[in-house]
Amino acid sequence: MQEKKKREFPDVYALLFIMCVLAMVATWIIPAGTFERVKEGSINKVVAGSFQYVAANPQTPWDMLQAIYQAFVNSSSTIFMIFFCGAAIAMLEESKSLSTAFTVLARKLRGKEAVAMAVIMFSLGLGNSAGVFGNLGIAIVPIGVFLAKAMGGDAFLGFLIIYFGLMSGMSIGFANPGILGLAQTIAELPIFSGTLPRVICCVANITFLFFVTVRYYKTIKKDPTKSLNYEPGMQPYEYMGTVSGETGADSECAALSKRQILVMTVFGLGVIACVTFTIRNSWTTKQISSWFLGLGIVTGIVSGFDMNKIARTFIKGCKPMVFASFMVGFATAVSLVMTDGQVMDTIVNALSMPLNAMGSVLGAGFMVVINALINLLIPSGSGQAAVVMPLMVPLADLSGITRQVAVQAFQFGDGLSNLATPLNGPLMGCLALAGVNFPKYFKWAIKYIFIEIGVAVLVTMGLQLAGWTGL
């Protein structure tokens, strides 16, 4: 008797391709429509009340395939950043400097792993509340994986420490000019007004995700089969590190050599300099990628490698990044198909309409849900602000919702749902680096995301009930 084939959830690439196909089909079903847009400075603002249906532009399979190609072109700067950052870190690890340093660190912090996680996550979260580390997430997740393994955790723990740390602050950033500042500008509010409630919410969110991370760490230490990196039949040593190191007693005597200390110092100063230039000079992925390319070469030279070994290590470091890089391209393709088919504006307009039938308090809470749904299609915070806020502001005025509350509803919906959408390229790339597919991650994370969004709805309704203007 033939054994019944086990049904499996689609691979993440297959899932994203299916979503591209569904987006293509949607362009044949959903009426095409568009808003008028006006350019104010560098912002393309949607004109509220300007939505109108236009001639259909259904996408064919050939159009969809071209959109996927174009999505890779549009995401090329991020893709190359992933390659170059991966190559630089591979150069560092080729000298065993990173793994040795984290083994020593884990030994010194034995029993204080939660303290180490708190320092890292709160630093990243508070820094990213101002958008400081926005473009560095994918670059430092591999470092987080090394640290997590040195703590006796798995690769997914490294993802949580770094990515959840970054997004805990980004989600409710109280000083992010590219998202909050843009939304408040469109809503004609003073930039960064209403800071105190946002600081409280931001710190509360970082604290919540920190406890989620610590809970996961304790769970997998107690039962390694609960690890998201675990597959049936695997032994713990295949996917988890050990606090004492993989070589047992040898790791107790592990120490950095003078050359390794020099390599770590050069690399560390290079990363700090990159963060500094990113903040002061508003570096984009182009400058960050170029910096890591140079940093990788310098790290190889300081490590004593000849030019052939530097070249081979560079390619070696790029290989594991292919999966993550392609994920970013595919994640961008879905929204591009809908944009090319001119149904994106139709969907956004339809989602905004129910607000007219609600009171101000319920409407404020529903605004969070609407923005979360829209963010599933438009993962870019600044891009969503430019599309959504011109619609939400007049709707808020008509519904009696204060503009500050409307901005906060946008920020909650946009930021918190970033942890739940497969169209978020950085999320998919970081998951790939941690060796966890999106369906497994989503099944684990969804309860925490629902808690965050549920609390955000209640907080937004409370702020509206209090008549919060933030001025």
Side-chain angles (χ1 to χ4, degrees), residues 87-108:
I89 293 169
M91 203 74 68
L92 177 65
E93 180 49 23
E94 188 69 18
S95 66
K96 303 299 180 184
S97 300
L98 191 60
S99 56
T100 304
F102 281 148
T103 298
V104 173
L105 178 64
R107 188 172 67 230
K108 292 183 180 297

Side-chain angles (χ1 to χ4, degrees), residues 26-55:
T27 66
W28 289 82
I29 300 172
I30 300 173
T34 184
F35 290 102
E36 291 181 23
R37 287 171 168 79
V38 293
K39 193 171 184 64
E40 294 185 6
S42 60
I43 305 170
N44 284 313
K45 290 177 60 176
V46 170
V47 178
S50 66
F51 179 79
Q52 59 182 348
Y53 292 105
V54 297

Side-chain angles (χ1 to χ4, degrees), residues 12 15-17 19-20 23 75 327-336 338 344 373-380 417-418 420-428 438:
V12 67
L15 177 63
L16 289 172
F17 187 79
M19 293 179 71
C20 285
S75 304
M327 200 78 69
V328 173
F330 266 110
T332 307
V334 181
S335 59
L336 187 58
M338 289 188 289
M344 182 71 81
L373 293 173
I374 292 174
N375 190 53
L376 299 178
L377 305 176
I378 312 174
S380 166
S417 61
N418 274 327
T421 171
L423 304 188
N424 181 355
L427 168 64
M428 301 301 283
F438 180 79

Side-chain angles (χ1 to χ4, degrees), residues 1-325:
M1 182 176 178
Q2 187 175 3
E3 186 178 344
K4 187 176 180 181
K5 187 176 181 181
K6 183 180 177 182
R7 295 182 64 181
E8 295 182 353
F9 199 90
D11 178 84
V12 67
Y13 278 133
L15 177 63
L16 289 172
F17 187 79
I18 290 170
M19 293 179 71
C20 285
V21 173
L22 292 176
M24 177 193 69
V25 172
T27 66
W28 289 82
I29 300 172
I30 300 173
T34 184
F35 290 102
E36 291 181 23
R37 287 171 168 79
V38 293
K39 193 171 184 64
E40 294 185 6
S42 60
I43 305 170
N44 284 313
K45 290 177 60 176
V46 170
V47 178
S50 66
F51 179 79
Q52 59 182 348
Y53 292 105
V54 297
N57 186 32
Q59 300 294 286
T60 66
W62 179 238
D63 293 326
M64 180 194 70
L65 293 175
Q66 292 183 84
I68 293 174
Y69 167 82
Q70 188 60 46
F72 274 79
V73 173
N74 295 349
S75 304
S76 59
S77 59
T78 302
I79 289 172
F80 282 114
M81 184 180 75
I82 294 172
F83 279 130
F84 291 166
C85 291
I89 293 169
M91 203 74 68
L92 177 65
E93 180 49 23
E94 188 69 18
S95 66
K96 303 299 180 184
S97 300
L98 191 60
S99 56
T100 304
F102 281 148
T103 298
V104 173
L105 178 64
R107 188 172 67 230
K108 292 183 180 297
L109 292 175
R110 190 172 302 164
K112 300 178 182 178
E113 289 83 4
V115 174
M117 286 187 269
V119 170
I120 295 171
M121 293 186 72
F122 275 85
S123 297
L124 293 176
L126 292 174
N128 227 21
S129 67
V132 169
F133 304 115
N135 288 326
L136 290 175
I138 294 177
I140 57 180
V141 162
I143 299 177
V145 171
F146 276 111
L147 177 59
K149 290 289 189 72
M151 288 180 174
D154 59 8
F156 184 68
L157 177 65
F159 164 87
L160 293 179
I161 294 172
I162 302 300
Y163 193 78
F164 269 31
L166 290 167
M167 291 309 299
S168 62
M170 177 69 82
S171 299
I172 317 175
F174 50 83
N176 190 322
I179 299 177
L180 175 61
L182 175 57
Q184 288 182 319
T185 298
I186 295 173
E188 298 177 338
L189 293 169
I191 293 180
F192 303 148
S193 56
T195 298
L196 182 58
R198 289 192 176 94
V199 170
I200 294 172
C201 290
C202 182
V203 173
N205 193 48
I206 298 172
T207 303
F208 173 70
L209 290 180
F210 162 69
F211 280 115
V212 169
T213 302
V214 172
R215 184 172 185 268
Y216 176 79
Y217 176 63
K218 290 182 178 179
T219 298
I220 63 173
K221 290 295 288 181
K222 183 177 181 180
D223 182 0
T225 63
K226 299 293 185 183
S227 165
L228 265 67
N229 293 108
Y230 171 74
E231 297 292 343
M234 292 178 69
Q235 296 299 314
Y237 71 85
E238 296 181 79
Y239 58 93
M240 289 184 66
T242 57
V243 174
S244 60
E246 293 186 4
T247 57
D250 291 342
S251 69
E252 296 296 322
C253 303
L256 288 165
S257 67
K258 290 182 179 179
R259 182 182 286 274
Q260 287 176 324
I261 292 173
L262 178 60
V263 171
M264 288 292 296
T265 301
V266 169
F267 192 86
L269 290 175
V271 173
I272 291 171
C274 185
V275 172
T276 302
F277 289 134
T278 300
I279 298 169
R280 293 182 57 183
N281 301 334
S282 301
W283 272 12
T284 64
T285 51
K286 176 182 178 181
Q287 287 79 29
I288 294 172
S289 301
S290 303
W291 184 267
F292 271 94
L293 173 60
L295 181 59
I297 295 171
V298 171
T299 300
I301 293 172
V302 174
S303 297
F305 302 156
D306 59 35
M307 62 181 182
N308 288 337
K309 185 166 185 177
I310 291 175
R312 287 193 296 269
T313 304
F314 180 89
I315 298 301
K316 178 182 176 181
C318 287
K319 286 180 181 178
M321 301 295 144
V322 173
F323 187 82
S325 301

